[in-house]
Amino acid sequence: MDFEIRMASKNDMPQVLDLIQELAEFEKEPNAVFVSVEELQHNGFGANPIFKCFVATYKKNIIGIALTYIRYSTWKGKTLHLEDLVVKEAYRGSGLGSKLLDEVVKLGKQLKVRRVSWEVLDWNAPAINFYKSRGAKILEDWHLVQLDEQGIQKYLEKL
């Protein structure tokens, strides 16, 4: 397959958002996406960009993304977080996910990070196997902890 991987541009964000929504549907959370094209454009391409995004294109259509940002670990220092790696369903199994992950790891090396990290759902066996085959460790003894907007509000109300 003749696809190209490149850094995203501001104008790519409508198609990037489409893939984010496709991922949410795959992960059984179709109503969980609140981010807008405008937010993606501002947060990725404004005065202080907070993420980098690779896009994979085929015939000028975006068929895959890998969205990353820098984090800081008190143990490791600068790390790179892969927020989402998404390949359109019709292109899964084509090697595109591997190529996107390759670019993320190369970016991590270029940025001199000590770790690249991401999450994977425990029921997504194909993704877990894919990551393990690339040498990633799955930390099964850790739990992901979050406060959503409502949780933040409730927390603050208890102060």
Side-chain angles (χ1 to χ4, degrees):
M1 178 178 289
D2 189 26
F3 51 77
E4 174 193 7
I5 297 178
R6 60 174 171 77
M7 290 304 277
S9 71
K10 186 176 182 177
N11 294 332
D12 292 327
M13 293 303 103
Q15 288 185 70
V16 168
L17 182 56
D18 289 344
L19 274 169
I20 292 168
Q21 185 62 51
E22 184 175 321
L23 176 65
E25 290 167 12
F26 172 77
E27 292 183 348
K28 301 174 178 70
E29 294 279 349
N31 299 314
V33 178
F34 291 96
V35 70
S36 68
V37 169
E38 293 75 23
E39 284 177 282
L40 290 168
Q41 289 174 332
H42 174 77
N43 291 326
F45 304 92
N48 297 301
I50 58 175
F51 70 81
K52 292 185 182 290
C53 183
F54 291 98
V55 294
T57 61
Y58 179 67
K59 296 184 179 179
K60 298 184 182 181
N61 293 310
I62 294 175
I63 60 171
I65 64 167
L67 193 142
T68 67
Y69 56 90
I70 294 294
R71 289 173 65 174
Y72 194 82
S73 164
T74 56
W75 290 6
K76 300 293 183 188
K78 185 167 64 169
T79 67
L80 184 65
H81 184 78
L82 172 59
E83 179 64 21
D84 282 322
L85 191 156
V86 187
V87 174
K88 279 189 170 279
E89 187 173 10
Y91 299 94
R92 292 182 194 144
S94 67
L96 186 54
S98 293
K99 297 293 184 193
L100 283 164
L101 187 58
D102 292 350
E103 293 303 315
V104 170
V105 174
K106 286 192 266 186
L107 177 62
K109 182 70 171 172
Q110 175 189 337
L111 296 172
K112 296 181 168 83
V113 301
R114 291 195 177 107
R115 179 174 66 208
V116 177
S117 61
W118 61 97
E119 291 89 26
V120 61
L121 289 167
D122 63 357
W123 55 261
N124 192 348
I128 291 168
N129 293 333
F130 166 69
Y131 297 138
K132 283 182 177 178
S133 76
R134 300 304 186 275
K137 293 186 294 186
I138 309 295
L139 305 177
E140 296 177 15
D141 51 339
W142 284 78
H143 292 276
L144 182 63
V145 180
Q146 297 179 334
L147 286 172
D148 61 13
E149 285 179 285
Q150 188 177 18
I152 293 167
Q153 185 60 38
K154 285 182 179 180
Y155 183 100
L156 293 173
E157 288 169 2
K158 292 178 182 180
L159 295 182

